[in-house]
Amino acid sequence: MDSGVSYQRFPKIRIREMRDDFLKFELRDTDASMANALRRVMIAEVPTIAIDLVEITVNSTVLNDEFIAHRLGLIPLTSAHAMDMRFARDCDSCDGDGQCEFCSVEFRLHAKCESDHTLDVTSADLRSDDPRVIPVDVQRSYSAPDPDSLDPAATDQKGILIVKLRRGQELQLRAIARKGIGKDHAKWSPAATVTFMYEPQIHINEEMMETLTLAEKQSWVESSPTKVFAVDDETEQVVVVDAEAYTYDDEVIKKAEAMGKSGLVEIYPKEDSFIFTVESTGAIKASQMVINAIDVLRQKLDAVRLHDESDSQLGGGFSELDAHLVGS
């Protein structure tokens, strides 16, 4: 194989829509392997913080300890600085115990129902020892000297329900949140959903389209299950109104063939252009999820390069792969 051949690419990203929990962007000048790698890393390998250990002191609720611990683990926590934390297994400050300030955050919860009304225990009742790590749905200030003095009624939202208490029932616990990735457990995944699709290219044969009557044009447009095409009221021309709504179902192509107009439209995917839709659980912003995924992907490629260099010194390795990765 010609050693001068280079497979290096320079992908480009263009943001279409961005909110804290939502991001839509275009990824261009790359292939499906890179797009899928980015998607999988966002789902499974971008680290966040989640409750991983629960020590229950008092539980007289209707739910057993394991059920409550599981519910606590699934509460998304703000994880903006998760990339800077240590994994518990790699922490040398606590010898992997996972209970020090460098690799964990402690939460406490104590609730007791003393009235005849049902008491909802929610994520708003969790007290964190780190104001940077709190349940994402709780809009609360932890700047008070005594977090326990904060009034739960002052929160903007009620929080995620953990358990309901009746008179005399009590729940008291201590929980440890740690850094992790979705590949180990879904509770650490920052992604609600991550999808991508090929950008469709649609070409209408205008000459053949002109041979159709207005009724036939309308019938052909309506054969698409999504609103991709429309008939212009003034010119009576068929126009593409939303190419990205096309789901590669081939219905308009089948309709054209049934009308004896094969070749009326050509639709094919651009194999180097992808449209991503990213939704976050709120643990980190959707935009930060993409940035962190790129950082993780870069670290994985660096690891491959270092492994190759090590093998090359022993007379083996993937020298061609290394040449392709140089400069990436």
Side-chain angles (χ1 to χ4, degrees):
M1 182 178 288
D2 184 3
S3 60
V5 176
S6 175
Y7 294 93
Q8 185 175 352
R9 295 189 179 214
F10 300 92
K12 299 181 181 64
I13 287 179
R14 187 173 76 87
I15 305 297
R16 289 192 176 185
E17 184 180 351
M18 183 168 62
R19 301 190 299 272
D20 283 352
D21 61 348
F22 179 84
L23 179 66
K24 189 172 186 178
F25 66 92
E26 299 173 11
L27 177 65
R28 298 181 179 275
D29 300 333
T30 188
D31 57 21
S33 64
M34 180 58 68
N36 196 45
L38 182 61
R39 170 186 163 274
R40 291 174 68 91
V41 168
M42 278 191 276
I43 293 173
E45 297 193 54
V46 172
T48 63
I49 303 168
I51 291 175
D52 192 41
L53 173 67
V54 180
E55 298 176 352
I56 297 180
T57 308
V58 179
N59 179 17
S60 56
T61 73
V62 296
L63 300 182
N64 58 46
D65 293 357
E66 292 80 8
F67 203 106
I68 291 175
H70 183 258
R71 291 179 68 85
L72 288 169
L74 295 178
I75 295 174
L77 306 176
T78 53
S79 306
H81 77 294
M83 293 286 283
D84 300 325
M85 286 181 63
R86 302 173 185 173
F87 285 103
R89 61 179 178 271
D90 301 327
C91 185
D92 52 9
S93 295
C94 59
D95 297 326
D97 187 44
Q99 297 193 48
C100 73
E101 60 180 320
F102 300 105
C103 65
S104 67
V105 177
E106 182 176 318
F107 288 84
R108 291 188 179 274
L109 185 152
H110 185 200
K112 184 175 182 179
C113 182
E114 297 179 344
S115 70
D116 292 330
H117 297 287
T118 301
L119 175 66
D120 291 343
V121 180
T122 71
S123 55
D125 296 304
L126 287 168
R127 299 289 182 264
S128 171
D129 67 356
D130 186 340
R132 299 174 299 174
V133 183
I134 59 174
V136 300
D137 57 300
V138 178
Q139 305 300 316
R140 170 197 301 263
S141 172
Y142 278 81
S143 58
D146 180 13
D148 290 330
S149 67
L150 293 172
D151 181 11
T155 58
D156 294 335
Q157 300 184 33
K158 293 181 179 180
I160 298 172
L161 182 65
I162 299 172
V163 66
K164 292 177 180 284
L165 304 182
R166 297 292 289 177
R167 176 184 281 275
Q169 293 181 337
E170 184 179 2
L171 178 64
Q172 184 174 355
L173 58 84
R174 170 178 172 266
I176 301 297
R178 296 168 178 155
K179 175 180 177 178
I181 58 176
K183 185 161 39 174
D184 294 333
H185 194 287
K187 67 184 178 184
W188 278 301
S189 177
T193 182
V194 180
T195 64
F196 72 84
M197 63 173 287
Y198 288 101
E199 183 178 355
Q201 288 278 77
I202 302 176
H203 297 285
I204 298 174
N205 188 325
E206 298 293 350
E207 293 184 2
M208 189 176 295
M209 187 64 72
E210 285 302 312
T211 64
L212 301 181
T213 65
L214 181 59
E216 289 175 327
K217 291 179 181 178
Q218 194 65 45
S219 176
W220 181 80
V221 165
E222 292 174 355
S223 68
S224 175
T226 54
K227 190 172 178 57
V228 180
F229 308 94
V231 178
D232 189 283
D233 294 333
E234 296 182 0
T235 64
E236 296 185 354
Q237 298 287 323
V238 175
V239 294
V240 179
V241 293
D242 187 2
E244 293 172 19
Y246 186 67
T247 57
Y248 296 97
D249 48 69
D250 291 342
E251 290 299 321
V252 290
I253 296 175
K254 295 175 184 176
K255 178 66 174 178
E257 292 174 350
M259 297 169 66
K261 301 293 182 180
S262 180
L264 180 64
V265 64
E266 293 182 353
I267 305 175
Y268 55 90
K270 291 182 66 175
E271 296 187 356
D272 65 345
S273 182
F274 309 89
I275 301 167
F276 272 78
T277 301
V278 179
E279 294 183 22
S280 169
T281 61
I284 56 177
K285 293 182 178 179
S287 57
Q288 192 62 47
M289 192 197 311
V290 177
I291 294 171
N292 290 356
I294 293 172
D295 287 342
V296 171
L297 196 54
R298 184 183 291 115
Q299 292 169 12
K300 294 169 79 71
L301 291 174
D302 287 342
V304 172
R305 184 185 295 115
L306 291 173
H307 179 73
D308 184 27
E309 290 175 355
S310 176
D311 283 353
S312 296
Q313 293 176 358
L314 300 175
F318 304 94
S319 57
E320 184 179 338
L321 174 62
D322 184 68
H324 297 162
L325 292 175
V326 169
S328 63

